[in-house]
Structures are given as structure tokens and as C-alpha cells.
Amino acid sequence: DAGVIQSPRHEVTEMGQEVTLRCKPISGHNSLFWYRQTMMRGLELLIYFNNNVPIDDSGMPEDRFSAKMPNASFSTLKIQPSEPRDSAVYFCASSFTLQETQYFGPGTRLLVL
Amino acid sequence: SQQGEEDPQALSIQEGENATMNCSYKTSINNLQWYRQNSGRGLVHLILIRSNEREKHSGRLRVTLDTSKKSSSLLITASRAADTASYFCARTETSGSRLTFGEGTQLTVNP
């Protein structure tokens, strides 16, 4: 298995632009997680899905952030409009069940100018 | 924000020495996991210990869990420069379903 795949790996955009991050979980995994990591705030859980259904989005910082999981093999995290404070590394992770080992993707490094 | 507490926040040792990192938590858990993150990379799972287990080994790694003290420790024996990374504990609480990560310990192993 190729592991969790994220794209793009790097994104540089200007404030106000829409940003879409993509994630393909490991085949057969039923749970998917989106995290954000910064030096200041550490690793933050933004939202997670189980069987394609969002379970808890309380970590999503603002209405500018939205996430979807239209099927078991694809999820997106969208920021619209983006702001400089959104600059961070965004990780996607998947697991077989909610409580088992999570496998992380390589992350998307986002810079909003 | 994270609710696990790890100490130390940073640890610097010489190659060959043992490194011990601790993790404490406040609620009842189903399992506790340790992850490693190299700079600029994603987290990698190291070991999972369930609430009914007290100790697990994996190569040079030894994890202990004391549910009465609500704490866990990760011991890396005979450390190598390549062990330099951040180490996170993460727990699954019995009251909730998701994994909660601590703030991590930055380990530096000097050659």
C-alpha cells in the first residue's frame, strides 16, 4: 500500500485565495483525520470522519474552513478565504477504526502570503 | 489544544545513552500510543499499549503504562543520532472516540 497520500505537498498562495487540500486514505481504513501543526499551537485535530461521515468538527477554527469526504477514498479540506495565520503544515491521517493506530500522510505545507 | 502532558519538553543526550520520556493524562483510557515525528515529516506510529497491559517492547523501545498513576513512559535504549526526533504520546479515552495527542518531547541525540 502506498500509505496516506496528500496533495499538494507544498502550497503558496495569497491572502484571500481559496485553498484545497486533498487526501487519499489507506484502502480499507474507515476513519480519516485532518490535523494542523504549527510551532505555536502544536498538533491540532481539526475534524475527523468515520465511514465518510463527519463525527467531530469542533477543532475547525472558523467557518472559512470546511472538509468533505464524498467517498471512502477521498477527502478535501478547503480554506476560503485564506489568511496568513492559516500558514501551517496540514496532515491527513487514516485508521482502520477510530481508536486504532493512525497512519499519517506526509503533510501539505501551506504558506499564505 | 492538547491535554496530554509530556515531560521533558526537550531532552538532549549522547549517543549510546538511554532516553526516557514521560506522558501523563487525566481521564480513563482505552489505549495509549507513542508516535515519532522527524523534522518536516508526518508522524509515524511506534507502539500501542492497551489499558490492560503494563509493558510492551519493540526493538530498542520499551513502553510502560501505569493506569493508577495515569502515566506512561517511553524508553529508548542505546540511543543513536538517528533517533533525534519529536516523540508524542496519544491516548484514546473511554469517554470519547478520538485520539488525543500530547505536546511532544523533542529528543536530540548527539553523536
Side-chain angles (χ1 to χ4, degrees):
Chain A
D1 198 313
V4 175
I5 299 173
Q6 290 187 248
S7 64
R9 295 292 307 277
H10 302 271
E11 177 84 19
V12 180
T13 190
E14 292 187 346
M15 183 174 65
Q17 296 298 305
E18 177 179 297
V19 175
T20 299
L21 311 181
R22 298 174 176 79
C23 175
K24 176 178 168 52
I26 292 173
S27 177
H29 281 188
N30 298 309
S31 303
L32 183 141
F33 306 80
W34 281 102
Y35 292 89
R36 177 173 70 176
Q37 188 176 37
T38 62
M39 289 293 291
M40 292 295 293
R41 294 186 297 269
L43 189 67
E44 303 173 277
L45 175 65
L46 301 178
I47 185 172
Y48 63 97
F49 296 82
N50 196 45
N51 295 321
N52 311 339
V53 177
I55 302 300
D56 185 351
D57 65 354
S58 60
M60 297 284 261
E62 299 171 34
D63 291 345
R64 297 184 296 105
F65 285 70
S66 63
K68 294 182 180 180
M69 191 164 186
N71 57 62
S73 60
F74 184 65
S75 176
T76 60
L77 177 67
K78 186 174 293 187
I79 308 172
Q80 167 62 18
S82 59
E83 296 182 3
R85 59 194 169 120
D86 301 331
S87 298
V89 181
Y90 290 81
F91 289 104
C92 175
S94 71
S95 59
F96 184 63
T97 69
L98 281 173
Q99 299 201 346
E100 295 299 323
T101 298
Q102 291 186 17
Y103 294 85
F104 282 71
T108 294
R109 192 172 295 275
L110 173 65
L111 177 61
V112 183
L113 301 174
Chain B
S1 63
Q2 311 307 321
Q3 296 181 16
E5 294 186 9
E6 292 167 74
D7 80 278
Q9 288 189 332
L11 179 62
S12 181
I13 60 175
Q14 295 301 122
E15 207 165 27
E17 294 179 341
N18 295 342
T20 300
M21 289 160 273
N22 303 297
C23 170
S24 62
Y25 55 92
K26 297 179 180 177
T27 61
S28 297
I29 61 170
N30 285 331
N31 67 59
L32 188 142
Q33 306 178 33
W34 284 90
Y35 289 76
R36 164 192 168 129
Q37 183 180 32
N38 286 74
S39 179
R41 309 288 291 274
L43 278 73
V44 175
H45 178 259
L46 295 176
I47 199 163
L48 181 152
I49 187 165
R50 301 192 186 280
S51 60
N52 61 352
E53 299 175 308
R54 292 297 168 258
E55 187 171 310
K56 284 190 88 167
H57 296 255
S58 176
R60 293 183 296 111
L61 305 181
R62 181 169 75 98
V63 169
T64 61
L65 178 64
D66 187 334
T67 53
S68 65
K69 294 181 180 178
K70 290 186 167 52
S71 68
S72 174
S73 66
L74 170 67
L75 168 67
I76 303 175
T77 60
S79 64
R80 305 167 182 168
D83 295 329
T84 295
S86 291
Y87 292 82
F88 294 85
C89 73
R91 67 197 184 279
T92 303
E93 300 170 353
T94 54
S95 61
S97 55
R98 67 179 179 87
L99 207 58
T100 303
F101 282 84
E103 295 181 357
T105 294
Q106 173 60 48
L107 172 65
T108 302
V109 182
N110 301 300

